[in-house]
Amino acid sequence: MNVLIVYAHPEPQSLNGSLKNLAVETLRSLGHEVKISDLYAMRWKAMADAGDFSDRAYPDRLRYAGESKHAYLGGSQSADVAAEQEKLLWADAVIFQFPLWWFSAPAILKGWVERVYAYGFAYGVGPHKGERWGDRYGEGNLLGRRAMLSITIGGREPHYSDRGVNGALDDVLWPIQHGTLFYPGMAVLPPFTVYQADRLTPEGWEKAADAFRERLSRLFIDEPIPFRRQNGGHYDGQQVLKDGLGAGASGSRIHLLQAGEPAERPVGEIATTERRAV
Amino acid sequence: MNVLIVYAHPEPQSLNGSLKNLAVETLRSLGHEVKISDLYAMRWKAMADAGDFSDRAYPDRLRYAGESKHAYLGGSQSADVAAEQEKLLWADAVIFQFPLWWFSAPAILKGWVERVYAYGFAYGVGPHKGERWGDRYGEGNLLGRRAMLSITIGGREPHYSDRGVNGALDDVLWPIQHGTLFYPGMAVLPPFTVYQADRLTPEGWEKAADAFRERLSRLFIDEPIPFRRQNGGHYDGQQVLKDGLGAGASGSRIHLLQAGEPAERPVGEIATTERRAV
């Protein structure tokens, strides 16, 4: 299988760098093809601005989404953006390796999302009609791929437990896991995490490395987080979860499928984007 | 009062640009002093890397937090970072004006947080002992200031309602409002929002402008979101919310004070950072 690693850390000798190297070595030894986007080494342009568009549809005023659509459809995207989209389409799985800074992805990685996730590529895909609001959240151009976050965290695990002061980890990661990975169609595996990352001992590294190898060996086996497909019949015409669903959960977890609920009833036309699931 | 506006949009003629201009005009007409950090115009360096440190404590390997602490305490931070910290300390209120891109702040604004929120300035403040885990979440160097997000959103309001497919807005904003604004001590006002921002009609603009003026006129009056102070006796020694608290809520809302709960019992030493509340 093809695995893309999107890696964001400025220091090759960091824990993130070591995890990235371990992932490359492990995945290749398992027979996978691996590509890496080392954002800091690439000096990835994180700022989304007019410099992204050589052929403007609206010269007077920058409307980023409109220019993004024009460039994507017209083939005038900047080369670095198009190259990353090709890698995503090549990949069967995408691993994001980064430190959790201020409870979200590093700016350089956010900037990768903002420039690579073009209109027509990652959003603005598929018809909007009634209960079907585009091909997203379980549909989209990246359908059939799996994604996993591998994150290093300075804080302690209890601080991110269900009642921990930082907020439950899956709530902290919601904008990324649901809003950025599941949105264009990827199946999202539970995150791999290393807590107290700044204080890792040699023994701690060995444990983390073993655990990471185990997760990597199961990359195409483990069950993804059971997010509800937007167009699976769960949400109404206002994209609000229908009454009676999610009764056993609260907060963001209402958006996960639960035992005992009716089977999915896909709405609207068949998703325009199909690909065999891996 | 002193108000800092941190503004992140590449196009002056954008809705964000117009809201920013309206805020400046309105606040000044109310007699406030206003400073603006226009991140795109400043070509703010969003990447946190070795280039931020002219005087390295650890030359062999970049440990960003360690260098941040060394530079902050030793006075060798880069000039742009120090200038932003001065603005934050000067401010009585901070307004963040930005488009919600992929459910979080634009990369350039994330990069402002990552570089300006130095160790010793925004985190790593105060003693860590037992139930007191530093001066954060309602304590810290920015105590006494108010913060408010003013965000433009492409999607529709129901999509961000309690059961909306994107997740409830306050859950989407949790990493920012709780994890980034409340963390160093600011009181966080409910966000000002403009939905369907790409489709705003002239009438829609007038309504939004009126609503924004109203929020701005109440900037120092409105009640902040009642986040629990970490060191207010609500959390145990593992920073986990104590049993019996938050019973009327779920998800991230357990971290908001509720009627009927015992009064705060501050723990540990008096917070080392004090300032009159505004």
Side-chain angles (χ1 to χ4, degrees), chain A residues 25-260:
Chain A
E25 172 190 311
T26 303
L27 292 165
R28 285 181 178 155
S29 76
L30 291 166
H32 300 307
E33 297 287 325
V34 183
K35 291 190 183 183
I36 305 105
S37 291
D38 181 334
L39 300 185
Y40 272 91
M42 294 160 75
R43 301 195 65 71
W44 179 261
K45 175 180 184 286
M47 279 188 7
D49 59 24
D52 292 331
F53 308 113
S54 56
D55 172 34
R56 290 278 293 268
Y58 314 98
D60 297 335
R61 175 184 155 184
L62 179 65
R63 301 179 202 201
Y64 199 86
E67 296 296 349
S68 175
K69 177 180 182 180
H70 178 72
Y72 177 71
L73 294 177
S76 63
Q77 296 185 119
S78 43
D80 57 350
V81 167
E84 296 303 299
Q85 292 169 350
E86 282 307 306
K87 288 178 193 170
L88 284 168
L89 293 173
W90 164 89
D92 297 302
V94 188
I95 295 171
F96 294 85
Q97 179 66 57
F98 61 92
L100 192 70
W101 285 347
W102 296 102
F103 309 107
S104 56
I108 198 172
L109 177 53
K110 182 67 197 315
W112 178 91
V113 173
E114 288 168 1
R115 296 181 61 239
V116 173
Y117 270 34
Y119 188 111
F121 178 76
Y123 72 109
V125 176
H128 289 59
K129 215 159 41 180
E131 288 185 10
R132 171 170 280 281
W133 199 255
D135 293 356
R136 61 177 200 173
Y137 293 130
E139 292 173 351
N141 286 325
L142 300 183
L143 184 67
R145 291 155 188 82
R146 335 191 105 205
M148 184 172 89
L149 302 184
S150 173
I151 45 182
T152 65
I153 301 176
R156 293 167 186 248
E157 190 161 8
H159 301 187
Y160 291 88
S161 62
D162 279 6
R163 291 169 65 83
V165 70
N166 290 341
L169 185 68
D170 54 358
D171 285 342
V172 170
L173 298 179
W174 170 264
I176 304 175
Q177 296 195 141
H178 186 265
T180 308
L181 305 183
F182 187 59
Y183 190 110
M186 294 191 278
V188 185
L189 298 181
F192 174 74
T193 53
V194 181
Y195 289 93
Q196 290 184 260
D198 295 333
R199 298 165 179 269
L200 208 62
T201 61
E203 294 71 31
W205 163 254
E206 287 307 325
K207 279 190 64 175
D210 284 346
F212 196 33
R213 280 190 205 93
E214 174 67 19
R215 288 298 310 275
L216 293 167
S217 72
R218 302 183 57 80
L219 185 61
F220 293 100
I221 298 167
D222 280 339
E223 286 297 310
I225 298 169
F227 290 131
R228 298 175 190 278
R229 284 173 58 219
Q230 174 188 269
N231 298 320
H234 316 271
Y235 300 93
D236 67 19
Q238 300 288 313
Q239 303 310 311
V240 174
L241 189 65
K242 292 174 177 170
D243 287 343
L245 297 177
S250 57
S252 65
R253 293 173 194 173
I254 62 174
H255 298 288
L256 275 60
L257 294 167
Q258 293 172 28

Side-chain angles (χ1 to χ4, degrees), chain B residues 166-206:
Chain B
N166 290 341
L169 184 68
D170 54 358
D171 285 342
V172 170
L173 298 179
W174 170 264
I176 305 176
Q177 297 195 138
H178 187 264
T180 310
L181 305 183
F182 187 59
Y183 190 109
M186 294 192 276
V188 186
L189 298 181
F192 173 74
T193 53
V194 181
Y195 290 94
Q196 292 185 262
D198 294 334
R199 298 167 178 270
L200 208 62
T201 61
E203 294 72 30
W205 162 253
E206 288 306 325

